[in-house]
Amino acid sequence: MLSKVKACVLQGLEGCIVEVETDLSSGLPGFNIVGLADTAIKEAKERVRSSIKNSGYRFPVSKITINLAPANLKKEGSQMDLPIAVGVLSASKIIKNQIDDICFIGELSLDGKITKVDGALPLVISLRNFNVRKVIIPIENKEECGVIDNIDIIPVDTLIDLVDYLNEEIEIPPYKSIYMDSLLEHQYEEDFSEIKGQTALKRAVEIAAAGGHNLLMLGPPGSGKTMIAKRIPTILPDLSFEESLEVTNIYSISGETSENGLMKKRPFRSPHHTVSRAALAGGGRTSKPGEVSLSHYGVLFLDEMPEFPKSVLEVLRQPMEDGMISVARANNTYTYPAKFMLIGSMNPCPCGFLGDPKHECSCNQGQINKYLSKISGPLLDRMDIQIEVSPVYYEDLNSKNKEESSKEIKERVLNARHIQSNRYKGSNVYTNSQLTSKQVAKYCKIDSDSEALLKIAFDSLGLSARAYNKILKVARTIADLENSENILQKHIAEAIQYRTLDRKYWR
Ligand SMILES: Nc1ncnc2c1ncn2[C@@H]1O[C@H](COP(=O)(O)OP(=O)(O)OP(=O)(O)O)[C@@H](O)[C@H]1O
Ligand SMILES: [Mg+2]
Ligand SMILES: [Zn+2]
């Protein structure tokens, strides 16, 4: 007996349909899987055999051959358990009905339970795009998959339920997640109002959030750098539905989706400085997305940036330019999105107190130079806004002044974002930080006074061409925050100020 069952495997973020052909023939009993299956799929044999038996069905005593087509496609992932089991049950007539138009996704446990798989959302989206009408998924994946329209999502708990459903002995209605825009609004536990003083730093962070700019904070220990970085997502716009879907896709592949389906918060990732290149960039043995992709549409925070090995930091350069990262895997290359705001923090020297009026720095020049040199010129250049953080003052910590809340700051950020999205309508640019140099020339025109100022700064600070463009982009954002159509000299002056740090420390 021969049966054919539809399955789906991921290649990066895209799903490809795989046909599972099961042949039962007389001959020496055995169970073979052919067609470029990886070890995880070969292990499926044992889970399939046990789950069929433990669900009370007879496991065929025949020669079983499973062929996974197309043969040239590398098949990975535990979601192949279920289609293989369905193939066996269908070839042995335990499943009686036609199942040609259904796709099956699910891992099996030995007792016949259908268990959660990673990457269910991108699989389901791809199937919908291939016009598959119905997909069987594990119950635990139903919230993330239930947001997708135009395909019936049938969540199933056990193999027994599935057989009964396919034989029309029970009914399982298609699952739809309750989705409302308002559900995307997320309440954060932290708030900007908890940060006392630090007006200049807050201003820089607001500009960074408004224009999607990268930010480097340099300052003594305990000055609130980590505290403020954690609160950046609270002043960013809420994720749109499409953005949320993209983010959830990435987390789905990493097996990190939340219980309520879609990811609603902007990601905030803060990998430790011992993170490996593969964990940061993605790829490696599992070809999963790395931290740069897990921060897509959110914040990638590198605390104590010079502690990261230089080779690891250099990984960031490609995604920072392209907004995506290519991950090599066996004979394939996958591309994952990686549009993040990079927020870095560091001390001015190894002991942290260089330039602090109240503490003495105990480092010698050699140690300081070595520490600063961990951040390469090209990486430093990519930090649009660089700001020196002053120590927190006792008067600030103790003051009864009410600090602005995240909500108040967010309103200004939203207004500036709105201006940008109108200006760049129809292009794939959303924030000033994403402008190409050609677009900078078009959208960041300045008057002769500003030009003169910029020339002085350029010569005296010895700025690079990239720094020049960054100043114009940041100035554009500062003007947008003020609803100013033109970039004025004062906007340029403030933007230049955010580029002086490298000249002061890195010379
Ligand atoms: N401006 C501030 N307002 C209120 N509390 C603050 C402020 N700055 C620092 N603190 C307090 O000090 C603690 C340490 O701050 P934080 O960890 O953010 O400093 P940091 O600059 O990251 O230091 P390090 O360089 O050591 O990493 C915070 O948890 C907070 O309780
Ligand atoms: Mg810190
Ligand atoms: Zn020092």
Side-chain angles (χ1 to χ4, degrees):
M1 279 312 298
L2 184 76
S3 75
K4 285 187 182 176
V5 173
K6 271 199 190 67
C8 195
V9 296
L10 271 185
Q11 306 276 296
L13 271 180
E14 300 293 323
C16 300
I17 293 188
V18 169
E19 198 145 53
V20 179
E21 298 170 337
T22 308
D23 178 57
L24 302 187
S25 57
S26 52
L28 224 46
F31 192 174
N32 262 314
I33 300 180
V34 298
L36 220 60
D38 80 348
T39 36
I41 292 177
K42 297 228 163 92
E43 282 167 12
K45 281 194 286 195
E46 294 318 311
R47 290 191 295 270
V48 166
R49 191 195 305 269
S50 300
S51 62
I52 289 180
K53 282 185 178 165
N54 291 332
S55 299
Y57 304 115
R58 205 178 68 87
F59 193 81
V61 191
S62 341
K63 181 169 176 233
I64 307 171
T65 310
I66 307 269
N67 179 38
L68 306 177
N72 59 354
L73 185 74
K74 175 101 182 144
K75 289 109 192 153
E76 305 175 90
S78 56
Q79 80 278 3
M80 294 295 292
D81 287 8
L82 186 64
I84 292 171
V86 169
V88 172
L89 290 168
S90 173
S92 55
K93 292 282 174 228
I94 291 167
I95 293 170
K96 301 184 184 80
N97 283 338
Q98 277 289 334
I99 48 174
D100 298 354
D101 52 347
I102 308 176
C103 184
F104 297 84
I105 297 172
E107 189 179 323
L108 286 168
S109 64
L110 300 182
D111 61 358
K113 201 174 151 49
I114 301 173
T115 56
K116 190 174 181 195
V117 301
D118 294 344
L121 179 65
L123 287 172
V124 167
I125 293 176
S126 304
L127 289 171
R128 191 261 323 259
N129 296 344
F130 287 129
N131 288 322
V132 173
R133 302 258 69 112
K134 191 186 272 193
V135 56
I136 307 289
I137 55 146
I139 248 177
E140 284 170 277
N141 289 107
K142 76 175 180 182
E143 293 301 338
E144 62 177 283
C145 298
V147 296
I148 304 303
D149 286 328
N150 298 324
I151 180 165
D152 284 351
I153 309 287
I154 311 290
V156 183
D157 194 21
T158 63
L159 207 51
I160 297 179
D161 283 355
L162 180 61
V163 171
D164 289 349
Y165 170 77
L166 294 171
N167 287 339
E168 291 175 70
E169 278 155 26
I170 61 169
E171 260 180 56
I172 303 176
Y175 186 77
K176 216 56 227 97
S177 311
I178 303 169
Y179 173 76
M180 285 179 290
D181 268 343
S182 61
L183 281 182
L184 280 182
E185 259 172 49
H186 190 86
Q187 299 297 321
Y188 291 88
E189 280 153 31
E190 290 106 3
D191 199 276
F192 257 79
S193 57
E194 293 150 1
I195 305 165
K196 303 278 189 188
Q198 297 296 24
T199 341
L201 175 58
K202 283 181 185 165
R203 164 79 178 163
V205 168
E206 177 175 331
I207 296 168
H213 302 289
N214 301 318
L215 172 82
L216 177 65
M217 298 179 274
L218 185 146
S223 51
K225 301 185 294 296
T226 302
M227 195 179 175
I228 206 160
K230 280 200 179 127
R231 286 161 179 76
I232 292 177
T234 69
I235 58 167
L236 290 172
D238 295 325
L239 287 176
S240 69
F241 178 70
E242 275 72 31
E243 287 173 333
S244 168
L245 211 54
E246 267 188 64
V247 174
T248 311
N249 252 338
I250 298 166
Y251 279 74
S252 177
I253 297 177
S254 316
E256 289 191 44
T257 40
S258 68
E259 304 218 321
N260 333 324
L262 284 187
M263 305 280 298
K264 292 162 190 144
K265 275 204 242 182
R266 284 204 183 255
F268 178 85
R269 305 290 295 192
S270 172
H272 190 254
H273 57 72
T274 52
V275 68
S276 68
R277 272 176 77 105
L280 191 64
R285 205 177 49 79
T286 52
S287 71
K288 292 215 163 161
E291 291 292 335
V292 295
S293 299
L294 292 166
S295 336
H296 185 50
Y297 290 143
V299 171
L300 177 62
F301 177 48
L302 301 184
D303 206 357
E304 323 290 354
M305 219 164 154
E307 302 288 334
F308 288 75
K310 221 170 173 168
S311 61
V312 170
L313 288 179
E314 294 305 302
V315 160
L316 297 170
R317 283 166 56 177
Q318 188 222 337
M320 283 172 83
E321 290 299 273
D322 306 338
M324 59 178 91
I325 189 152
S326 300
V327 175
R329 159 89 179 140
N331 43 11
N332 267 323
T333 308
Y334 301 148
T335 303
Y336 293 120
K339 286 196 185 111
F340 52 84
M341 263 175 83
L342 180 66
I343 308 292
S345 98
M346 63 185 293
N347 295 329
C349 65
C351 88
F353 292 114
L354 182 67
D356 186 331
K358 294 204 178 122
H359 296 86
E360 196 152 345
C361 164
S362 58
C363 315
N364 63 41
Q365 197 56 45
Q367 289 169 319
I368 296 173
N369 291 345
K370 185 162 174 247
Y371 178 78
L372 294 175
S373 72
K374 295 276 197 57
I375 313 288
S376 72
L379 187 60
L380 200 59
D381 248 0
R382 283 172 171 79
M383 306 306 288
D384 311 14
I385 300 178
Q386 306 159 0
I387 182 148
E388 189 157 17
V389 184
S390 47
V392 238
Y393 300 107
Y394 177 78
E395 303 79 62
D396 281 334
L397 281 179
N398 224 12
S399 107
K400 297 276 173 297
N401 284 351
K402 206 170 159 309
E403 299 289 342
E404 249 189 330
S405 68
S406 295
K407 188 160 178 270
E408 289 165 283
I409 303 171
K410 183 173 170 177
E411 252 161 51
R412 294 194 296 268
V413 169
L414 287 179
N415 179 51
R417 289 270 182 138
H418 187 68
I419 293 172
Q420 294 166 70
S421 59
N422 276 342
R423 185 187 301 128
Y424 307 129
K425 204 176 264 165
S427 73
N428 55 359
V429 169
Y430 300 94
T431 58
N432 295 327
S433 64
Q434 297 167 333
L435 294 173
T436 62
S437 37
K438 223 167 136 187
Q439 289 165 322
V440 167
K442 179 170 175 196
Y443 295 112
C444 307
K445 293 206 173 77
I446 51 175
D447 59 19
S448 53
D449 285 353
S450 305
E451 205 146 342
L453 178 64
L454 200 50
K455 180 164 187 337
I456 295 172
F458 205 72
D459 293 341
S460 64
L461 297 170
L463 297 174
S464 70
R466 187 182 283 118
Y468 177 82
N469 274 328
K470 296 268 183 196
I471 289 176
L472 289 173
K473 293 186 205 183
V474 171
R476 181 68 268 170
T477 303
I478 297 171
D480 288 340
L481 273 168
E482 272 180 22
N483 284 321
S484 169
E485 200 179 317
N486 296 317
I487 299 176
L488 309 178
Q489 201 185 20
K490 61 174 179 177
H491 304 140
I492 293 282
E494 186 176 356
I496 291 173
Q497 190 198 306
Y498 296 127
R499 297 300 300 200
T500 52
L501 201 62
D502 45 354
R503 301 308 129 183
K504 181 167 166 195
Y505 287 92
W506 284 266
R507 12 176 93 255

